[in-house]
Amino acid sequence: MGYNYWNGTEAAHRRVMMKAAGYSDEDIRQKPHIGIPNSYMAGSPGTAHLRQVTEAVKEGIWAAGGIPVEFGIPATCGNVANGADEMKYEQVGRDIVAMSIEFVSRIHNFDAICCVASCDLIIAGCYLAACRLDIPALVVTGGSMQAGNYCGKTVVEADLDAARFSGASEAELLEESVCPSFGACPSMGTANTMQMLGEVLNLVMPGTSTIPASDNARLRAARTAGKYMVQLARSGKTPKDLITKDVLENAIMFDMAVAVLHILAYAYELGIKLTLADFEKYAKEIYCINAVIPSGPYTVVDFHYAGGVKQVMKQLAGKIHTDAPTIYGDTTWGELLDSVKSAPNKVIHSLEDPVAKEPGLKIMRGNISPAGAIVRPTAVYEEVKYIKGAAKVYECDQDAYRAIMAGEIVAGDILVIRYEGCKGAPGMKELMLSIDALIGLGLDKKVGLITDARFSGFNYGAIVGHVSPEAYDGGVIAL
């Protein structure tokens, strides 16, 4: 604990700043200082409710004897930039968020941090900051949005994305129906997969990552997390203690059952060797057992009430490292799962009866991607699991989109979109524009797509992304 930093005459200039901000002398001198990076942002349903969630976290910290120090961090809604050149900023945002948290936390010498975040690269950046800072850390998630309902049919935001290009009128786009509450869009996009991953990485309290934003259990869980944050701060246990190689391998296995990225970046920050070979190994052993859109018909809200992350880990108990530590430090994952009843269901299947006999994510290598590429097998239709055709090559998402809308892409074509990788875009854009157009025009079961860019968890079809080396680096895809 950094009590010496705040005590004595030499620390008077620090204390006076805290006092001027409203903190008492006793609190400043004697209690753990806990930074609260809050990703509240009024322009997105995934973040517009986080002030209330953050207040609950702060209440818990005060109640347990700590000092919460809230500060803002950058937050965006990736869906706003979909299809625009500005999407190139989104992936870079992960590292900007991490640096923002690191910058404030180092200057203010926090004893611990408790981030509040929901969506996409923002929550990914919070995890990255936790690994980099190596002080006791938690992340409280904002939870999932409720699915919409239109004339008795379940609808989600991804339905609107594709409908834009189907010839539907504005009235038929379901704008008033697909996003009915706060929270992350309830498909297996980056936001929800990253929230779930936090539990496996020992950064989010078990059983809480997917509590819907509309469920008041979200606030109760935030308050409990605040209390535990003080306990964790006093224990001195940091992500380097709690995120071991076994924990990261468990995350990969969860990844195969559910599908999520960013794990390699966390391993790098923690000084743990992890490569694509580790993903390839577990892709051969773990099939997808999560029937949430796009791998199945259900939403993340359904996933939560079907047992959530703990039920998935229970189904994986015969595969994961059960002796790996949990967020509680002195409890293993095996001990945590002893209290979880195995209850496979229509949303979370067993390994013996998977959603598909494919992993949630697979590494591919070939003549175009000698260093690897990524596909989401459970989102690929049977009709295009094998596809052979003419390559139609475009230098950016917008050019490919214009070709699709002009009727230049037909059944049997292979769409190649390059120079959209980390360096080429720059920033590794998400190709929502072209992919949504393919879906909206009914070409997703007839056309293949290969790219050095990334794609959304909302997407489905024969999409191979993250081709490496990318075109900018002279990869084969540039020929």
Side-chain angles (χ1 to χ4, degrees):
M1 304 296 289
Y3 296 148
N4 291 339
Y5 194 76
W6 298 100
N7 284 281
T9 55
E10 68 277 11
H13 64 294
R14 298 178 185 132
R15 291 193 301 272
V16 73
M17 292 294 104
M18 294 288 285
K19 289 177 181 178
Y23 293 89
S24 73
D25 187 77
E26 179 184 0
D27 289 340
I28 297 166
R29 291 175 183 268
Q30 298 181 11
K31 295 179 179 179
H33 292 223
I34 298 172
I36 314 293
N38 178 5
S39 62
Y40 164 81
M41 191 267 196
S44 167
T47 55
H49 63 305
L50 294 185
R51 280 178 172 166
Q52 188 178 20
V53 175
T54 300
E55 285 303 314
V57 171
K58 289 157 63 178
E59 288 169 8
I61 290 171
W62 280 119
I67 296 181
V69 182
E70 179 185 351
F71 61 98
I73 55 174
T76 60
C77 178
N79 215 60
V80 172
N82 280 344
D85 194 50
E86 286 74 22
M87 176 55 81
K88 65 187 178 185
Y89 294 104
E90 181 77 359
Q91 177 79 3
V92 181
R94 182 194 71 179
D95 297 80
I96 293 171
V97 168
M99 288 186 287
S100 299
I101 295 170
E102 181 184 18
F103 157 59
V104 176
S105 299
R106 294 297 188 202
I107 293 294
H108 286 266
N109 201 41
F110 295 136
D111 296 301
I113 56 168
C114 186
C115 306
V116 183
S118 294
C119 288
D120 296 4
L121 287 308
I122 311 307
I123 191 166
C126 290
Y127 295 162
L128 194 65
C131 294
R132 185 179 296 168
L133 282 167
D134 198 39
I135 58 177
L138 285 180
V139 176
V140 173
T141 67
S144 176
M145 176 189 291
Q146 293 286 340
N149 188 292
Y150 182 75
C151 297
K153 179 186 176 183
T154 296
V155 289
V156 296
E157 200 282 330
D159 296 320
L160 181 149
D161 287 344
R164 291 180 298 155
F165 307 109
S166 67
S169 66
E170 279 201 25
E172 295 169 321
L173 288 178
L174 311 180
E175 279 187 66
E176 305 300 325
S177 303
V178 295
C179 293
S181 76
F182 292 130
C185 299
S187 306
M188 286 303 293
T190 305
N192 282 303
T193 50
M194 291 309 298
Q195 291 191 53
M196 294 174 190
L197 185 68
E199 289 191 42
V200 186
L201 289 173
N202 296 330
L203 289 170
V204 175
M205 298 293 284
T208 69
S209 67
T210 55
I211 298 172
S214 57
D215 189 327
N216 283 335
R218 165 61 50 208
L219 298 180
R220 296 194 296 274
R223 198 170 290 109
T224 299
K227 291 178 181 178
Y228 183 69
M229 182 73 261
V230 177
Q231 182 180 333
L232 188 62
R234 287 178 170 145
S235 77
K237 289 186 172 67
T238 73
K240 285 190 177 177
D241 299 314
L242 299 175
I243 308 178
T244 64
K245 178 70 179 291
D246 284 353
V247 167
L248 288 173
E249 289 186 351
N250 284 351
I252 294 173
M253 285 184 264
F254 182 84
D255 188 352
M256 297 306 152
V258 173
V260 69
L261 296 174
H262 299 293
I263 297 172
L264 290 171
Y266 305 144
Y268 175 83
E269 293 293 347
L270 294 164
I272 296 173
K273 185 178 180 181
L274 207 65
T275 68
L276 286 180
D278 295 291
F279 288 79
E280 291 173 298
K281 172 187 173 183
Y282 291 113
K284 297 173 183 177
E285 301 178 16
I286 310 291
Y287 293 153
C288 181
I289 61 174
N290 174 26
V292 171
I293 302 166
S295 298
Y298 301 103
T299 69
V300 176
V301 175
D302 298 322
F303 174 87
H304 176 72
Y305 295 122
V309 172
K310 289 198 289 185
Q311 186 59 230
V312 172
M313 293 297 276
K314 184 70 173 182
Q315 299 309 314
L316 297 178
K319 296 285 188 178
I320 64 172
H321 301 287
T322 52
D323 56 349
T326 65
I327 197 169
Y328 302 115
D330 55 358
T331 303
T332 67
W333 267 98
E335 291 168 333
L336 179 65
L337 293 174
D338 282 344
S339 62
V340 178
K341 180 181 178 182
S342 178
N345 51 70
K346 62 184 181 180
V347 183
I348 301 171
H349 291 217
S350 67
L351 277 177
E352 293 72 33
D353 179 31
V355 172
K357 291 190 175 180
E358 296 273 12
L361 177 152
K362 184 178 282 187
I363 308 300
M364 301 183 72
R365 298 179 191 272
N367 59 342
I368 295 178
S369 57
I374 292 175
V375 66
R376 191 172 192 166
T378 54
V380 179
Y381 299 109
E382 286 296 330
E383 295 94 320
V384 283
K385 285 198 171 177
Y386 175 82
I387 183 169
K388 180 179 180 179
K392 302 282 183 72
V393 183
Y394 300 92
E395 310 300 300
C396 68
D397 189 21
Q398 285 80 4
D399 286 352
Y401 163 73
R402 284 189 282 269
I404 293 167
M405 299 308 292
E408 297 172 16
I409 306 301
V410 298
D413 283 346
I414 310 295
L415 197 58
V416 179
I417 305 176
R418 60 192 186 182
Y419 293 100
E420 292 282 30
C422 292
K423 297 178 182 177
M428 200 176 205
K429 285 160 65 178
E430 199 171 70
L431 300 188
M432 292 287 283
L433 187 62
S434 297
I435 295 171
D436 285 343
L438 290 174
I439 296 169
L441 295 173
L443 289 170
D444 50 315
K445 295 183 180 181
K446 303 172 183 177
V447 169
L449 190 153
I450 299 171
T451 181
D452 54 7
R454 59 193 176 98
F455 53 91
S456 171
F458 290 0
N459 298 144
Y460 40 91
I463 308 164
V464 178
H466 299 255
V467 167
S468 183
E470 64 173 285
Y472 185 92
D473 282 338
V476 179
I477 194 173
L479 295 177

